[in-house]
Amino acid sequence: MPLPEAFMQELKARCEISEVVASYVNLRHSGRNLVGLCPFHNEKTPSFNVYPENGSFYCFGCGAGGDVITFVRRIENLDYMEAVRFLAQRAGIQVPENQVDDGMARLRARILEINREAARYYYSILNSEQGKAGMDYLNRRALSPNTIRHFGLGYAPASRYSLVGYLEKKGYTQNEMILANVAFKGRSGQAVDRFFSRVMFPIIDLRGNVIAFGGRVLTDEKPKYLNTSDTPVFNKGNFLFALNFAKNSGTEQLILCEGYMDVISMHQAGFTNAVATLGTALTPNQARLMARYTKEVVLSYDSDEAGQKATARAIPILREAGLLVKVLTISGGKDPDEYIRSNGQNGRVKFKQLIDASGNDVEYRLQKIRQGCNIQTPQGGVDYLTGASAVLATLDNPIEQEVYAGKLAEEIGIERTAILQQVRKNRSKLKKNQEQKAFRAFQQQSAGVRDSINPEKVQHLRAASAEEALIAYIVQYPENAIAIERLLPAEKFATTFNRRVYGTIMERIRNAKAVSLTDIAEEFSVEEISSIAKIFAKFHGVSVTMRDAEEYIDVIQQEYEKMSVENVNSAEPQEIQDYLQKLRSQKK
């Protein structure tokens, strides 16, 4: 059951989009609109636009768009009703919950309850005789009882039905457990525990909800770590382990580790700003999430080959998010947890010294290139400078380029201008490649290629373009909508998505309801709302008359009446004759 119209209008009035967005994005005025760096993708030139007049936003860089509800859904990773409640709480108004029928919100709430109960169960097992193996492991890792309790660590017993049985007694169905991914359907059709004989690490979001688990096996079995798959409340590329604690550490720095145990050991040693990715390589979303809480990230990955590759991959992702990057180097091939423990009482002090002494990512990359070159030979020197120039070409700050070019010149004994000339040449090539890539993407977008929301657009480009223009017009001039609908019923639209948007808007206008993006957001997914926001942004500020609208209608009518080759092949002779006669009469 939809939310009452009066409530939605009050919510819209109290949650002005520019104010909500400004709490996440630095905005500046550009005429009547506002612009800033997009929070949903990495960019250096602002392409994120907020339109206070119609309560929408749109990013011309990544295509994210929508209303204030959609913005909150994206930035806070919420579903529709959670976003409404979030905004209502912000505005100090009550959501009429008794009128809401939201199956997905109820499912998400049940999954969060299941995760909370599962975390309590695993913790209780760890502290019982059944959890002795897990507790012995944590003791060997020198974790204190306070640390174990703080992180809510637990143990999944060997039985394959223990958690399922426990949750059933709590009133949860096997299907709900499977959807929460704490169980899976076995060959018998019955739910089976997903985690068994593993030390359990609850993953907690920024609001304190247990959203997933990581489990470590205590034998040589594979996989060593098993993580919750994606569920309605969890996507591993959007969260970081222990960020719920690290965001309150009071430092202006985050330490990014590879694993759960590294993070927990660091927190126990007093480095409460440590976080880790969740069994996956660092994603741009995780980098942007960190950028909301800090300006600097110290990469503290393992020093083995896999860790070095992960470091090389993470550096550009973090830089693209606008973060300063340092790289921690631990000699002897130890990971942070091993290093802290092996140095006993001095572990914390020595590790702090390592962090303070860690070089930035440019120095790290230059050092890695130098290690692979014998700069005592002419060819080695050339190879080193060639690789180093490529690194400096990725730097946006000319001062950074100058400083490092000067250091390289002293090191190799070559003119700084020669290095800078090569840097500029590489940078020009990079810029050209980026421009070509952007232009190809623009061409494909304009032609409707790879449009997953309106895949029919590429086959009906002329009709789809007219449909979009007409949709923008009726939202801007709803007083003319009824006249337009009489001229053009929805079934004449060539593309299914635009037909649905047109029909939704027309129905609301017939019922004297508002038709902003916020008013129709409940009817469409986040991605669909982005497509509608793109239409609004495309025609924002464009002066369109009723005469123009009539021309759009003519185009849609013409395209509707055209017969494709497939239709002609399957048409009856009389239908073809009628169509040809109509074309002749239009030419007179």
Side-chain angles (χ1 to χ4, degrees):
M1 185 176 178
L3 288 161
E5 186 75 9
F7 166 78
M8 291 305 299
Q9 296 312 311
E10 184 180 5
L11 184 72
K12 186 167 60 170
R14 293 206 191 184
C15 298
E16 211 284 314
I17 190 166
S18 58
E19 292 179 6
V20 174
V21 173
S23 63
Y24 298 90
V25 181
N26 289 323
L27 298 172
R28 61 175 174 80
H29 282 277
S30 177
R32 289 181 296 181
N33 307 325
L34 298 155
V35 297
L37 294 174
C38 181
F40 305 118
H41 84 289
N42 301 322
E43 62 176 8
K44 297 179 180 68
T45 304
S47 58
F48 181 85
N49 290 258
V50 176
Y51 305 98
E53 286 180 14
N54 62 16
S56 70
F57 73 91
Y58 186 73
C59 176
F60 289 91
C62 68
D67 68 317
V68 67
I69 296 175
T70 316
F71 179 83
V72 169
R73 289 182 70 178
R74 280 183 176 273
I75 200 91
E76 294 287 349
N77 193 38
L78 304 175
D79 68 15
Y80 178 81
M81 276 308 303
E82 286 172 333
V84 168
R85 293 185 188 102
F86 180 96
L87 288 169
Q89 184 178 15
R90 186 180 189 275
I93 57 178
Q94 190 70 34
V95 179
E97 297 283 359
N98 59 331
Q99 300 185 46
V100 176
D101 180 18
D102 188 21
M104 180 53 73
R106 285 199 306 275
L107 174 61
R108 287 167 65 98
R110 292 287 281 181
I111 289 174
L112 291 175
E113 289 172 14
I114 285 172
N115 287 341
R116 185 179 66 243
E117 289 293 347
R120 288 172 175 167
Y121 176 73
Y122 293 139
Y123 180 78
S124 69
I125 293 295
L126 178 69
N127 288 279
S128 71
E129 188 60 34
Q130 287 186 76
K132 186 177 183 303
M135 188 62 82
D136 288 346
Y137 168 77
L138 296 176
N139 287 334
R140 286 197 301 275
R141 300 300 295 262
L143 296 190
S144 70
N146 282 342
T147 297
I148 292 169
R149 184 168 54 252
H150 181 66
F151 283 92
L153 305 184
Y155 187 72
S159 167
R160 303 305 305 274
Y161 301 97
S162 60
L163 180 66
V164 168
Y166 173 82
L167 291 174
E168 279 186 321
K169 290 177 182 176
K170 292 283 183 178
Y172 299 101
T173 68
Q174 292 195 1
N175 188 52
E176 287 173 330
M177 299 175 211
I178 291 168
L179 289 170
N181 204 228
V182 296
F184 63 90
K185 187 178 286 188
R187 292 178 182 177
S188 65
Q190 295 296 304
V192 179
D193 287 4
R194 174 172 170 78
F195 300 98
F196 63 98
S197 300
R198 288 178 183 267
V199 171
M200 300 299 294
F201 302 86
I203 298 162
I204 300 168
D205 70 10
L206 297 175
R207 288 179 290 280
N209 298 309
V210 179
I211 53 172
F213 294 94
R216 190 198 192 284
V217 74
L218 300 179
T219 63
D220 294 330
E221 291 178 47
K222 301 293 181 183
K224 181 178 178 180
Y225 280 94
L226 181 65
N227 296 292
T228 300
S229 301
D230 287 358
T231 72
V233 302
F234 175 68
N235 178 288
K236 58 180 173 286
N238 292 334
F239 295 95
L240 290 159
F241 180 69
L243 184 60
N244 57 310
F245 298 132
K247 69 183 177 69
N248 300 320
S249 64
T251 67
E252 294 184 358
Q253 182 187 72
L254 288 176
I255 303 171
L256 182 60
C257 309
E258 273 194 79
Y260 305 123
M261 283 304 304
D262 287 332
V263 169
I264 294 169
S265 293
M266 282 199 194
H267 277 248
Q268 181 169 276
F271 301 97
T272 57
N273 55 335
V275 297
T277 52
L278 302 169
T280 182
L282 179 71
T283 67
N285 282 351
Q286 289 168 330
R288 287 193 289 274
L289 180 59
M290 282 187 279
R292 285 166 58 184
Y293 297 97
T294 190
K295 293 180 180 178
E296 182 178 275
V297 170
V298 178
L299 275 169
S300 179
Y301 286 171
D302 293 353
S303 53
D304 58 14
E305 186 180 350
Q308 297 304 297
K309 285 182 178 178
T311 298
R313 184 184 177 281
I315 287 170
I317 295 174
L318 293 167
R319 267 190 165 262
E320 281 293 312
L323 289 158
L324 298 173
V325 185
K326 284 187 168 185
V327 181
L328 182 72
T329 303
I330 302 176
S331 59
K334 293 177 180 174
D335 61 34
D337 176 34
E338 287 177 309
Y339 184 86
I340 291 171
R341 286 191 291 119
S342 65
N343 281 281
Q345 292 182 341
N346 295 322
R348 184 187 186 286
V349 174
K350 284 182 170 289
F351 193 75
K352 179 71 166 60
Q353 291 170 346
L354 281 181
I355 291 174
D356 293 342
S358 59
N360 66 30
D361 64 290
V362 180
E363 294 164 350
Y364 170 80
R365 285 182 283 174
L366 293 177
Q367 182 189 6
K368 294 295 288 184
I369 294 168
R370 196 182 192 287
Q371 286 174 353
C373 303
N374 181 3
I375 63 171
Q376 304 305 318
T377 66
Q379 185 58 50
V382 170
D383 291 342
Y384 177 40
L385 289 176
T386 300
S389 298
V391 169
L392 299 195
T394 65
L395 307 180
D396 295 319
N397 189 333
I399 296 174
E400 268 193 298
Q401 293 177 0
E402 291 269 357
V403 168
Y404 286 108
K407 286 185 176 181
L408 287 168
E410 288 181 21
E411 189 177 4
I412 302 297
I414 189 173
E415 286 292 323
R416 180 169 57 93
T417 52
I419 298 172
L420 286 172
Q421 186 178 1
Q422 183 62 39
V423 169
R424 292 185 186 108
K425 185 178 177 181
N426 289 344
R427 190 157 180 81
S428 177
K429 190 183 295 183
L430 277 174
K431 187 177 179 182
K432 186 177 179 181
N433 289 339
Q434 289 168 351
E435 287 173 349
Q436 287 176 341
K437 186 178 178 181
F439 181 69
R440 283 195 298 270
F442 173 76
Q443 282 182 315
Q444 291 182 342
Q445 191 180 59
S446 300
V449 177
R450 296 175 186 166
D451 189 333
S452 60
I453 300 302
N454 192 357
E456 296 164 309
K457 182 175 179 177
V458 69
Q459 281 92 28
H460 304 283
L461 190 57
R462 185 167 179 257
S465 298
E467 291 166 359
E468 290 173 0
L470 191 62
I471 287 168
Y473 176 82
I474 61 174
V475 169
Q476 194 171 358
Y477 301 102
E479 64 271 17
N480 296 331
I482 301 303
I484 287 171
E485 189 176 31
R486 281 198 291 267
L487 293 171
L488 185 74
E491 56 265 22
K492 292 199 172 182
F493 270 51
T495 65
T496 304
F497 177 69
N498 286 345
R499 187 186 311 131
R500 183 172 149 222
V501 175
Y502 180 77
T504 300
I505 291 170
M506 283 299 186
E507 183 182 0
R508 289 190 66 85
I509 290 173
R510 283 196 303 271
N511 292 309
K513 294 180 178 179
V515 288
S516 73
L517 277 178
T518 301
D519 298 308
I520 64 172
E522 192 173 5
E523 304 289 328
F524 298 92
S525 70
V526 169
E527 290 74 22
E528 289 170 338
I529 285 291
S530 288
S531 286
I532 303 170
K534 179 183 176 183
I535 295 171
F536 290 2
K538 183 178 176 183
F539 292 96
H540 184 79
V542 178
S543 180
V544 180
T545 65
M546 184 61 182
R547 177 76 177 271
D548 295 319
E550 288 169 350
E551 289 182 8
Y552 302 148
I553 292 168
D554 286 342
V555 169
I556 296 167
Q557 293 270 24
Q558 289 166 20
E559 294 298 309
Y560 176 75
E561 290 166 357
K562 276 183 182 178
M563 300 180 74
S564 64
V565 174
E566 291 82 5
N567 286 340
V568 171
N569 288 338
S570 60
E572 295 294 328
Q574 187 57 48
E575 290 177 321
I576 298 173
Q577 289 299 320
D578 291 344
Y579 177 66
L580 292 174
Q581 181 59 43
K582 187 161 189 175
L583 287 180
R584 291 189 199 100
S585 65
Q586 287 176 351
K587 289 179 181 179
K588 290 179 182 178

